[in-house]
Amino acid sequence: MESFFENIVFSLREVFSTSPELVIIVGAGGVTAFVLSMYFLVFRKKPEKAEEVVMQPEEKDSHILSEHKEEDVSSDTLQPKAQMYSVDEFLDEREGEVEEVGEEDIEIKQEEIPREELRLEEIKEEIEPQGAEETKQGLFERLRAGLSRTQAGLLGRLDEILSLRKEIDSDLWDEFEETLVMADLGVGTTMKLREAIESRLAKKSLRDPLAIKMALKEEIFSMLKKAEGRALSLDVKPFVIMVVGVNGVGKTTTIGKLAFKLTKEGKKVMIAAADTFRAAAIEQLEVWAKRVGSDFLKGQSGVDPSAVAFDAVKASLARGTDVLIIDTAGRLHTKTNLMEELKKIRRVVGRELEGAPHEILLVLDATTGQNAIQQAKMFKEAIDVTGIVLTKLDGTAKGGVIVAIADELNIPVKFIGIGERLEDLREFRAEEFVEALFLTGKETLH
Ligand SMILES: Nc1nc2c(ncn2[C@@H]2O[C@H](COP(=O)(O)OP(=O)(O)OP(=O)(O)O)[C@@H](O)[C@H]2O)c(=O)[nH]1
Ligand SMILES: [Mg+2]
C-alpha cells in the first residue's frame, strides 16, 4: 500500500516538474472549488421544494392509514359499504354463447371500494326535513314546483281562453283542443277528453266556460288513475328489476334514486351495470352505488351485457340480495339490435331465476313529449314492459304527455322523476299529481 502512494506522489512530482503551469491551474481550481462550497454551505438555505417532495408521499401514506384505521374501528356502525365484483370475461362476445355457459365457468371476485365522502347518513340529513307533516307538505310543494311549467303551458293558456268567452261554442272547443295538443296530450287523447267533457257538461246543463276546467281536471284524473301502477311488489328475493329506455332518458339516474329509496326502506340492493358499451356509463353507475351504499356489479367494458346480468342474478342469490336492479344501454355501438340485446338479457335472467325479471321498467323522458309515446310503443312490442318511469317532469312544459301515456299505452306509470337529486323519484299517485297540476295557489289542500 505504501509503495502505491509513493508511486502516485512520484508520478505527480514528475508531471509538475515537467510542467509548472499545471501546478498553477490545479491550485487555482482547488481554491475556487473551496470558495464555492463555502458559499453554498454558509449563505444558501436548503431548497424548500425538496422538503415538499419528501413530505408528499408521507402525507399521502398517513391519510391512507387513517382511513383504514377509521374503517377498522367503526366497521360495525357504518352504513353498508359498496362492494364491487369484477366479472371475469367468462363469456365471449359472440352471440348466444351466454346461453351455453355453465356454473363452473363463472368466477366472482370481490373487492372493497373505498367509501365515498358522501354517505347515506349525510344524504338523509340533507334531505329529510323535520316533522312528518312538514315533509308531506314539502314533498307536495316540490312536485308542484316541478310541474309548474307544464301547468303554465296547459292551464295558463286554458284559463286565458276560458276567461275571454261568455259561452261554450265551437270556436272555444277548437281552442281547447289546440291548447291540449300543444301541451303534448296528443290528438287522440285530446279528442277523448273533449267528448267526455262535453257529455259531462251536457248532463249537468253547464254552459259556463269555466266549468270546462273542473271537468277537465276530473277527466284527467280518471285517465291517470287507471294508469296508477301498483308499487313494486318485492314479493320474491331477489326481486329483479331491469331498466330499459333509449339513451339519455335518465335510466342510470333513476336507478340511483330507486336504489336510494329501497335502501332507505331497509332493503339490500345490488346494482348491475349491463350497459357495457360505454366505460363512462359503468363509472356513472358505480358512483351512484357508492353514494347509496348498495352492492355493485360490473363487467369489463365491451363484455356481453347478458353475461353481466346473468352473473348479477347469481351474485344476488348468493348474497341474499333483496332487490337487483339491472341497468342497460340505450344505444349500441355494435350492429346488434338494441331490442334483441334486451330480449337476450331478459331471457338469460329468466333462465337463471324463474319469473325474473320481475319488473321491466321503461324510462321515458317527459321533455321529449309525444316522442315518448312512440318509444314506449316500440319497447312494449319488443319486451313486456311492466311499468313506466317518466323522468324530467321538472323544467318541461311537455309534462302533459303523461295523460297520453296513461290513455294510450295501457302500461302502469310506476314512478316519476322531478329532479336530479336522490329523493326526486316519486311513486306515481294520480290524485297528488292532478292536485299539484291544477292547484293555482289560491285553493287549500284537502
Ligand atoms: N331535471 C332532471 N334531470 C334528470 C332527471 N332524470 C335524469 N336526469 C338527467 O338526465 C341526464 C341523463 O341521465 P342518465 O341517467 O345518464 O340517462 P341514461 O338513460 O342512463 O343515458 P344513457 O346511459 O346514455 O343511455 C343526466 O344529466 C341526469 O341528471 C329528472 O328527473 N330531472
Ligand atoms: Mg345510463
Side-chain angles (χ1 to χ4, degrees):
M1 188 59 96
E2 254 177 53
S3 60
F4 172 73
F5 283 114
E6 276 170 10
N7 283 343
I8 292 180
V9 171
F10 180 76
S11 321
L12 283 174
R13 259 198 214 138
E14 282 282 292
V15 173
F16 289 147
S17 62
T18 53
S19 160
E21 302 92 334
L22 202 62
V23 180
I24 296 162
I25 291 168
V26 170
V31 170
T32 313
F34 177 76
V35 170
L36 280 175
S37 41
M38 288 310 288
Y39 170 78
F40 278 111
L41 274 175
V42 176
F43 298 106
R44 296 289 296 262
K45 277 196 222 159
K46 253 177 150 184
E48 281 182 9
K49 251 198 153 171
E51 201 173 301
E52 262 175 40
V53 173
V54 180
M55 287 300 290
Q56 269 178 354
E58 271 177 27
E59 274 174 9
K60 211 176 162 197
D61 285 345
S62 68
H63 174 65
I64 291 167
L65 214 66
S66 68
E67 264 184 8
H68 279 291
K69 265 194 220 147
E70 193 197 318
E71 281 200 3
D72 290 341
V73 174
S74 58
S75 58
D76 286 345
T77 53
L78 286 175
Q79 289 294 319
K81 276 173 279 175
Q83 306 280 346
M84 179 174 71
Y85 303 84
S86 59
V87 184
D88 275 1
E89 277 185 81
F90 60 89
L91 288 178
D92 200 68
E93 280 169 53
R94 278 170 293 164
E95 278 280 329
E97 178 121 10
V98 70
E99 316 260 1
E100 264 44 87
V101 79
E103 276 182 30
E104 61 285 354
D105 299 324
I106 301 155
E107 192 191 326
I108 302 165
K109 286 180 197 151
Q110 186 179 328
E111 60 183 87
E112 295 270 297
I113 291 179
R115 283 171 305 140
E116 264 225 327
E117 280 167 21
L118 192 53
R119 303 204 174 84
L120 191 60
E121 281 158 77
E122 291 164 9
I123 297 164
K124 272 190 203 158
E125 265 170 36
E126 243 177 54
I127 62 169
E128 274 176 12
Q130 296 86 38
E133 211 36 56
E134 205 182 36
T135 307
K136 202 175 162 197
Q137 186 67 25
L139 287 173
F140 182 80
E141 281 308 322
R142 198 158 161 73
L143 174 64
R144 218 184 124 194
L147 295 179
S148 60
R149 288 189 63 191
T150 296
Q151 185 187 59
L154 175 62
L155 299 171
R157 180 149 154 71
L158 197 65
D159 280 342
E160 240 175 72
I161 58 171
L162 295 179
S163 58
L164 289 175
R165 304 268 170 179
K166 293 246 162 15
E167 57 180 31
I168 300 170
D169 55 21
S170 62
D171 283 353
L172 176 58
W173 282 121
D174 287 349
E175 282 175 332
F176 170 85
E177 282 177 10
E178 196 189 313
T179 305
L180 267 57
V181 171
M182 295 271 285
D184 276 88
L185 276 84
V187 176
T189 305
T190 297
M191 298 309 290
K192 266 193 212 169
L193 284 169
R194 176 186 164 168
E195 278 167 30
I197 292 167
E198 268 188 306
S199 72
R200 192 183 272 264
L201 296 185
K203 261 187 221 155
K204 294 185 181 170
S205 311
L206 290 169
R207 288 191 181 81
D208 179 4
L210 290 173
I212 289 180
K213 190 174 165 185
M214 279 322 289
L216 177 68
K217 181 180 175 183
E218 282 167 31
E219 288 304 327
I220 285 183
F221 171 68
S222 66
M223 267 185 187
L224 291 181
K225 189 71 187 164
K226 278 186 218 143
E228 196 178 77
R230 263 187 322 118
L232 305 172
S233 66
L234 307 183
D235 48 359
V236 285
K237 195 174 156 176
F239 188 85
V240 183
I241 304 169
M242 191 173 150
V243 179
V244 301
V246 303
N247 71 301
V249 287
K251 295 181 292 299
T252 305
T253 312
T254 296
I255 289 171
K257 293 173 185 171
L258 186 58
F260 173 69
K261 186 172 152 47
L262 294 168
T263 307
K264 252 193 356 170
E265 289 166 12
K267 303 287 179 220
K268 194 173 176 197
V269 180
M270 183 184 287
I271 299 176
D275 177 357
T276 59
F277 294 91
R278 283 187 305 124
I282 301 172
E283 276 166 31
Q284 186 193 359
L285 197 61
E286 194 167 349
V287 169
W288 279 108
K290 282 194 216 171
R291 288 184 75 189
V292 172
S294 63
D295 286 349
F296 179 66
L297 189 142
K298 68 175 176 182
Q300 279 161 18
S301 187
V303 100
D304 187 335
S306 38
V308 178
F310 176 78
D311 206 39
V313 176
K314 284 192 83 67
S316 300
L317 284 165
R319 293 178 55 81
T321 301
D322 293 312
V323 188
L324 166 65
I325 314 175
I326 303 172
D327 193 13
T328 63
R331 167 177 61 192
L332 303 183
H333 298 305
T334 60
K335 287 199 189 96
T336 327
N337 179 283
L338 176 64
M339 294 303 164
E340 289 309 311
E341 193 66 62
L342 296 175
K343 280 185 202 171
K344 187 171 155 192
I345 296 176
R346 190 190 56 175
R347 201 165 57 236
V348 167
V349 165
R351 225 194 40 195
E352 186 55 21
L353 179 67
E354 212 189 318
H358 307 98
E359 288 275 357
I360 300 181
L361 295 182
L362 171 66
V363 180
L364 298 173
D365 177 345
T367 64
T368 62
Q370 281 291 304
N371 202 325
I373 304 279
Q374 300 315 315
Q375 288 169 25
K377 285 181 177 162
M378 208 170 72
F379 277 88
K380 188 184 171 187
E381 212 174 288
I383 44 171
D384 304 315
V385 174
T386 60
I388 283 172
V389 182
L390 187 63
T391 60
K392 309 188 198 179
L393 270 166
D394 54 304
T396 179
K398 294 171 185 267
V401 69
I402 197 169
V403 185
I405 287 172
D407 177 45
E408 286 187 44
L409 294 175
N410 203 21
I411 308 171
V413 179
K414 301 246 169 173
F415 296 98
I416 52 172
I418 54 162
E420 292 180 272
R421 302 193 314 182
L422 272 172
E423 77 283 16
D424 285 338
L425 186 74
R426 299 285 187 83
E427 273 174 29
F428 174 65
R429 295 271 162 269
E431 190 175 356
E432 181 192 51
F433 191 92
V434 173
E435 286 302 331
L437 186 62
F438 279 79
L439 200 69
T440 57
K442 289 174 202 128
E443 305 93 328
T444 47
L445 263 181
H446 44 265

